[in-house]
Amino acid sequence: MRAVIVAVGVAFLVSLFCTPIAIRVFTRLKAGQPIRAEGPAMHQGKKGTPTMGGVVFILATVIAYVAGHLALTTLPDAQIAQVEPTITALVLLGLMVFSGAVGFIDDFLKVRKRHSGGLNKRGKLLGQILVGALFGVIALYFPSSMTDAEGQATNTETVGSTTLSFIRDIPALDLTKVGAVIVFIFVVMAATNGVNLTDGLDGLATGASVMVLAAYALIAFWQYRHWCADPNYTQDYCYTVRDPLEIALIAGAAAGACVGFLWWNTSPARIFMGDTGALGLGGLIAGMAMSTRTILLLPIIGGLFVIITMSVVIQIISFRTTGKRVFRMSPLQHHFELAGWSEVNIVVRFWIIAGIGVAIALGLFYSDFLAHVG
């Protein structure tokens, strides 16, 4: 727990104090956010606000991960197995950094062209597929080599699983390794686009991501405390995952970094996360679902992202088939803007929706545990 707290604190402080520096740097570089002409008229006042702020909290998460590992060296010998960096950390941080890199290219092109159209849809889609495939393969093909004091293997799990999962793996739904990688690519695409579509109002995606990442930190730490690979754990019911403490540490660090960023990103935002941050967070959240074996629970944990994404899908299908729009504008948050809701009201109410989804997901997770130990 000490390592997770250290990581959260370091990430928060790095993000809180480095974001103003990023604001000054991006302002000097004239890296301002272009605003779509067809978007809500009230957004035109945000034109020129520095973007690409996701660079800050991605960097803060990586720094906090290192700090958390330094704290791990003070743990008792029985828990020292995860002191060294793991494949789990490579996958999770790699998803965040490389997904963020795809978003950075998009942001850079927008700033350079002074236009809201950056990387084309095909290019962005290809980048998401490549990132998902790369880290999906690493997650499925590199098992743990954790051993006990006698040299016996205690954990040979991979980061991801070949079966679909809800609260845990569902053995009857075996996908094979190739199928599991394909499913994971889809999860990466869904999560990155979901966060990206949500990032339309000041602080909306940042605050929602804090809740989702905090939920995964709790889930992963609970799995660590009831871990099948822990030689000191004696109860029958345990979680078959790989490196749960690593997952909790990274999820906590990312949540802390987002809170620090939210200080500057809340309305009126002095900086936007841009596609750099939105895609980086989406990639990390997808990795969290895979590594905690809760892929089918993700749509509940990230319920707000699902709702906003579906509003876009419904709008497109309706317009193309009937020529009529269901919403005044999509994504959904812009519909309520045009309906007269203030930006702050929309953000707070959508945060409440995000919190409800997180609460339901955590309730399902814990009730599953109680059902097996009761």
Side-chain angles (χ1 to χ4, degrees):
M1 188 64 174
R2 184 186 313 162
V4 177
I5 294 174
V6 168
V8 172
V10 169
F12 170 74
L13 293 174
V14 170
S15 187
L16 180 66
F17 291 110
C18 287
T19 301
I21 298 174
I23 293 172
R24 290 193 292 271
V25 171
F26 290 143
T27 300
R28 190 174 299 120
L29 294 175
K30 297 181 178 179
Q33 175 69 45
I35 303 296
R36 293 185 307 158
E38 64 273 18
M42 61 282 288
H43 284 208
Q44 295 304 316
K46 301 181 180 184
K47 186 175 181 180
T49 302
T51 187
M52 296 187 284
V55 170
V56 179
F57 58 72
I58 291 174
L59 180 62
T61 301
V62 175
I63 292 173
Y65 171 76
V66 175
H69 264 267
L70 293 177
L72 277 174
T73 59
T74 63
L75 289 174
D77 291 342
Q79 297 177 325
I80 211 73
Q82 289 187 296
V83 169
E84 297 298 325
T86 64
I87 291 292
T88 301
L90 172 65
V91 169
L92 295 178
L93 293 177
L95 282 165
M96 190 178 199
V97 171
F98 280 82
S99 294
V102 175
F104 182 85
I105 295 172
D106 187 43
D107 287 333
F108 177 78
L109 292 175
K110 289 177 183 177
V111 170
R112 185 177 181 181
K113 297 176 181 178
R114 306 295 178 187
H115 190 271
S116 59
L119 187 64
N120 61 47
K121 293 180 180 179
R122 185 174 299 177
K124 190 181 292 187
L125 183 64
L126 178 60
Q128 293 168 338
I129 291 173
L130 289 176
V131 171
L134 172 62
F135 291 102
V137 168
I138 295 174
L140 268 297
Y141 286 84
F142 291 86
S144 173
S145 56
M146 186 182 295
T147 57
D148 58 22
E150 299 177 355
Q152 299 295 319
T154 59
N155 186 14
T156 58
E157 291 294 318
T158 53
V159 179
S161 172
T162 58
T163 65
L164 274 179
S165 55
F166 181 50
I167 305 298
R168 56 180 60 246
D169 285 338
I170 306 173
L173 299 179
D174 190 10
L175 302 171
T176 74
K177 288 186 177 181
V178 174
V181 171
I182 293 173
V183 168
F184 182 62
I185 292 172
F186 173 78
V187 174
V188 169
M189 292 168 58
T192 52
N193 286 303
V195 178
N196 198 22
L197 290 170
T198 304
D199 183 34
L201 299 181
D202 296 351
L204 177 56
T206 309
S209 295
V210 169
M211 297 182 209
V212 171
L213 290 167
Y216 275 118
L218 290 172
I219 287 172
F221 192 76
W222 187 262
Q223 291 176 333
Y224 174 66
R225 298 295 294 176
H226 304 85
W227 191 24
C228 295
D230 183 354
N232 298 316
Y233 187 72
T234 57
Q235 296 182 28
D236 293 333
Y237 189 73
C238 60
Y239 295 94
T240 306
V241 294
R242 173 174 177 165
D243 310 319
L245 185 59
E246 286 278 82
I247 304 168
L249 192 154
I250 294 171
C258 285
V259 172
F261 182 76
L262 184 60
W263 183 275
W264 307 99
N265 180 234
T266 193
S267 183
R270 293 186 56 189
I271 188 171
F272 299 140
M273 70 166 68
D275 281 23
T276 304
L279 269 61
L281 287 173
L284 177 60
I285 289 170
M288 289 290 161
M290 173 180 63
S291 58
T292 57
R293 311 294 172 86
T294 55
I295 284 180
L296 296 180
L297 192 64
L298 175 58
I300 302 176
I301 294 179
L304 178 65
F305 303 140
V306 174
I307 292 170
I308 289 177
T309 301
M310 289 307 300
S311 73
V312 175
V313 173
I314 291 170
Q315 187 85 321
I316 291 173
I317 293 175
S318 176
F319 187 74
R320 289 184 177 178
T321 56
T322 68
K324 297 180 180 179
R325 292 181 173 88
V326 176
F327 307 104
R328 289 181 171 91
M329 183 178 291
S330 64
L332 188 60
Q333 60 268 31
H334 299 321
H335 167 82
F336 289 106
E337 278 189 292
L338 296 181
W341 291 22
S342 71
E343 181 171 9
V344 172
N345 277 344
I346 297 169
V347 170
V348 172
R349 288 167 180 170
F350 276 36
W351 280 353
I352 292 172
I353 294 172
I356 290 172
V358 166
I360 292 173
L362 289 176
L364 290 172
F365 182 84
Y366 187 59
S367 64
D368 174 79
F369 178 81
L370 293 179
H372 285 83
V373 299

